[in-house]
Amino acid sequence: MQKCDNPRCPVCYPNWKEEEAEEAKRAEDNKHDCIDCWRFYQKQAEAIVAVDDPIARNRRINAAYAQLWLDDHRFQWAGLAAFASKQVGCGLLNAADMIVKSASDSAANLRKVTSVGPAAWMMGYGAQSAAGAATAEGAGKAYQMLAKGNTSLFLDVWPLHMFYRKFGLQRFKRCLQERQALRGAVVWPIADRVLFAETKPEVLRAFSAIDSGDISTGVEQLAQHEQLNILQPAMYNDPAFALLMRANQFAWALHIPTGSAREIQLAFANECTVTGANARNERFSKEPLANLADGAQRMAFVLRAAERFDQLLRDPLQKYDVESSLFLIAHPR
């Protein structure tokens, strides 16, 4: 007998209630399984960043990104992220040096007050002291924001790679939205600015491209996600941090001797900077008014860096230097 179109017909489908109940249970079990798997990788990521010192934490993040690429060369974004995160670590070191220097200057100012008296000190050293205090405040802000952005991005993107590598694209697609169930139960330093695990189209497009072998699109989509969905609201929309980045660019481009300004670049090496005519690096801009906080300008820089990284990996000689640098980043001393 041909069955009717009504799936709940008691004649054609006498066991429809039991079958519906079983299907509902399977769906619920699958949902809980997705959440448990996300929780597993999220807790692994939290263990990696569970270091109080932001500089030591940054080295662990760099190593985890580099290891992702060393284990699976399809994860080219992770290799690029290892170098970019290493560059963030260089910024942390520079900011920390400025904080220490400012503290030393403050101690020196106190000695000057004692030796010459408050009135003479105000006449001769007050402006210098105020400038030093401003430098310390700016360095402290940069240190805080760089550390927070570095940690948050890792907590977002590293588990995505690990889940995809373990379970493949189909389960990744099926489970992606269930990651939101972890909100409020995981470490997420930017909860006041960015929702944890908010479903963004760039994420699915990125891993679909990786799965099909289109590595460059995967890198581009993940770059869009990290820069515009995570870092833009978490860091660059902060007016004080954006102003600091503009001041740094202005001072560096015009060679203003601040003692703290640094060129914004990405060096494809385990060192902070590289020099020479054939240096493996990508510069942000030489223009004094270039604005790193502007998403379009920053994305142009990131995509140039991504293209340069891809070229280096295809070069018959330089690819070994890049891989050696990533190995050193993955295994810090």
Side-chain angles (χ1 to χ4, degrees):
M1 182 181 71
Q2 185 177 1
K3 293 184 178 182
C4 60
D5 294 334
N6 181 5
R8 293 186 173 182
C9 172
V11 176
C12 298
Y13 302 95
N15 299 321
W16 71 267
K17 289 185 178 180
E18 292 82 355
E19 289 172 358
E20 273 196 5
E22 288 178 5
E23 181 61 31
K25 185 178 186 304
R26 277 195 298 272
E28 188 65 21
D29 288 345
N30 285 337
K31 178 179 178 179
H32 286 297
D33 187 45
C34 289
I35 295 170
D36 288 343
C37 291
W38 281 122
R39 183 180 291 109
F40 174 77
Y41 287 116
Q42 208 64 41
K43 292 303 178 183
Q44 280 197 339
E46 289 178 9
I48 291 171
V49 302
V51 181
D52 290 334
D53 176 18
I55 293 173
R57 186 192 314 146
N58 170 261
R59 292 194 184 104
R60 297 180 74 167
I61 289 171
N62 304 345
Y65 281 142
Q67 195 61 54
L68 270 178
W69 183 82
L70 290 170
D71 290 341
D72 191 333
H73 285 10
R74 294 179 303 167
F75 295 158
Q76 195 160 307
W77 177 90
L80 181 65
F83 287 121
S85 182
K86 178 266 305 177
Q87 217 68 43
V88 170
C90 299
L92 287 169
L93 289 169
N94 184 48
D97 286 344
M98 293 308 302
I99 293 169
V100 171
K101 182 179 183 299
S102 296
S104 175
D105 289 346
S106 295
N109 282 327
L110 181 59
R111 290 193 295 271
K112 289 173 184 175
V113 172
T114 303
S115 64
V116 304
W121 177 81
M122 285 296 292
M123 291 291 291
Y125 303 106
Q128 179 184 347
S129 178
T135 300
E137 184 177 353
K141 177 71 173 180
Y143 191 83
Q144 174 196 15
M145 296 298 288
L146 288 171
K148 185 183 290 188
N150 188 229
T151 302
S152 301
L153 182 63
F154 178 79
L155 289 169
D156 178 71
V157 184
W158 188 82
L160 293 173
H161 283 79
M162 296 299 288
F163 192 104
Y164 166 77
R165 190 176 73 174
K166 175 67 175 178
F167 299 113
L169 183 63
Q170 293 310 309
R171 191 171 180 188
F172 182 88
K173 287 180 176 180
R174 178 164 53 84
C175 289
L176 184 58
Q177 194 162 354
E178 305 300 343
R179 191 184 184 201
Q180 297 176 7
L182 300 180
R183 284 177 188 164
V186 294
V187 175
W188 189 237
I190 54 174
D192 59 328
R193 301 183 182 213
V194 181
L195 274 175
F196 174 75
E198 188 174 8
T199 303
K200 296 292 187 179
E202 292 87 354
V203 172
L204 196 52
R205 287 200 293 259
F207 285 96
S208 296
I210 291 169
D211 201 70
S212 69
D214 186 356
I215 304 303
S216 62
T217 298
V219 172
E220 179 185 351
Q221 290 299 308
L222 281 171
Q224 291 273 355
H225 175 63
E226 60 151 330
Q227 292 296 331
L228 303 183
N229 296 337
I230 305 296
L231 297 181
Q232 188 67 39
M235 297 172 60
Y236 294 105
N237 285 350
D238 184 287
F241 183 73
L243 183 61
L244 283 170
M245 294 299 99
R246 298 203 74 169
N248 175 84
Q249 177 68 18
F250 189 81
W252 173 80
L254 295 180
H255 308 288
I256 298 173
T258 64
S260 61
R262 296 290 185 273
E263 180 184 12
I264 298 168
Q265 63 166 285
L266 198 160
F268 296 103
N270 55 305
E271 300 92 359
C272 287
T273 59
V274 288
T275 58
N278 297 316
R280 300 191 312 276
N281 66 348
E282 187 66 38
R283 291 175 164 175
F284 169 56
S285 177
K286 294 181 179 180
E287 296 299 319
L289 297 181
N291 182 10
L292 190 70
D294 178 74
Q297 293 184 48
R298 196 171 66 259
M299 274 304 304
F301 168 50
V302 171
L303 293 179
R304 288 199 312 272
E307 183 178 1
R308 181 74 186 283
F309 183 50
D310 186 65
Q311 291 170 351
L312 289 170
L313 290 176
R314 295 174 187 276
D315 187 276
L317 297 178
Q318 290 186 313
K319 65 180 181 180
Y320 297 110
D321 293 330
V322 171
E323 185 163 352
S324 176
S325 293
L326 285 168
F327 181 85
L328 291 172
I329 292 171
H331 302 88
R333 296 178 181 176

